[in-house]
Amino acid sequence: MEYRLEDRLPTVEEFVAVTTAVGWTDAYDAAAIPASLAASLHAVVAVEGDRVIGLGRLVGDGAIYYYLQDLAVVPERQRRGVGAAILARLEEWIAGRASSRTFVGLFAAGGSVSLYRRFGYAVHDDMTGMFRVGPRPLQHGGPGR
């Protein structure tokens, strides 16, 4: 398998093709994809011939906090080092900007935990990752309200 890595954002069409192939069709609002991609700090795509077979991007504040986002490889090219190559390229980009206290976070999906562990990511007992999906009105007030 011959592929090349390109430091660039995927197009909306490329993003949809790869994320659909891995089953993430319910993970995002299609109308928000262009703005979401445009707000990325950096991205890498893996291209085989003229087809994007994998992608990954970074979001965050570009100074202290970085989050690996949407690292995905089409199923027929998984477990062949493509995801690791994308992750290594993203890690190189971060390393050129990171301070000694830079925080890099992610959410691991499916069987990807072992890949991230190889790059030094771990679950930390003193922190719990939390998230919610969709808008929710803020609840104000304390006890008794």
Side-chain angles (χ1 to χ4, degrees):
M1 172 183 65
E2 293 278 331
Y3 68 91
R4 67 188 179 281
L5 296 180
E6 297 179 2
D7 291 278
R8 67 169 177 87
L9 287 172
T11 66
V12 171
E13 294 77 18
E14 292 165 342
F15 180 86
V16 169
V18 173
T19 58
T20 297
V22 298
W24 293 353
T25 53
D26 293 333
Y28 52 80
D29 177 357
I33 294 170
S36 179
L37 291 175
S40 301
L41 295 174
H42 187 69
V44 174
V45 295
V47 182
E48 182 179 49
D50 61 354
R51 177 182 175 219
V52 171
I53 60 167
L55 55 89
R57 64 191 183 111
L58 296 168
V59 299
D61 65 13
I64 298 172
Y65 299 103
Y66 296 87
Y67 291 88
L68 292 165
Q69 193 67 41
D70 302 324
L71 181 58
V73 176
V74 296
E76 65 272 18
R77 296 296 184 258
Q78 292 177 2
R79 308 239 184 275
R80 297 180 184 188
V82 178
I86 293 169
L87 181 52
R89 181 73 68 92
L90 292 169
E91 288 284 340
E92 287 172 14
W93 191 88
I94 293 169
R97 290 148 183 83
S99 72
S100 63
R101 300 294 300 158
T102 293
F103 176 95
V104 184
L106 61 85
F107 286 96
S112 63
V113 170
S114 63
L115 168 65
Y116 296 121
R117 285 189 192 279
R118 289 192 330 230
F119 282 81
Y121 293 87
V123 174
H124 294 270
D125 292 337
D126 59 340
M127 290 189 197
T128 301
M130 300 172 72
F131 70 95
R132 67 176 178 76
V133 177
R136 180 176 170 87
L138 295 176
Q139 300 294 319
H140 296 285
R145 246 192 107 153

